[in-house]
Amino acid sequence: MGEFVAELLASRGLDVTVKSDPLEAVRWFSESPERVDIVLTDQTMPRMTGLELAQRLTTERPDLPVILCTGFSEDIGSDERRRHGADIEGVELVS
């Protein structure tokens, strides 16, 4: 899915970086947080959820917009987003 979305966005002139491992994504982001304009992530990933990823990235860069995609939005209420440190204004939930 990541490669498909990357191709779609790149075909519209955007520079896209795909990381399938969230820990690798955190390391890559930490090297130069200002190079990222927006993060699009899935909630369900190995070793870390999308909310956990959003929390780690927005801790480094609070102004970073994050779009969280999930097929299970009813499982991710505002209480859970707050518990993971994801500001409702900074994290958009797409299901």
Side-chain angles (χ1 to χ4, degrees), residues 24-65:
E24 181 186 341
V26 170
R27 283 191 294 275
W28 179 85
F29 178 84
S30 295
E31 291 172 4
S32 186
E34 69 283 348
R35 68 180 159 190
V36 178
D37 293 319
I38 190 167
V39 172
L40 175 62
T41 185
D42 193 1
Q43 171 62 2
T44 305
M45 300 182 289
R47 302 190 300 189
M48 183 184 306
T49 67
L51 280 174
E52 292 167 332
L53 177 64
Q55 177 186 16
R56 290 177 81 168
L57 300 183
T58 58
T59 296
E60 270 189 74
R61 228 186 90 204
D63 65 325
L64 180 68

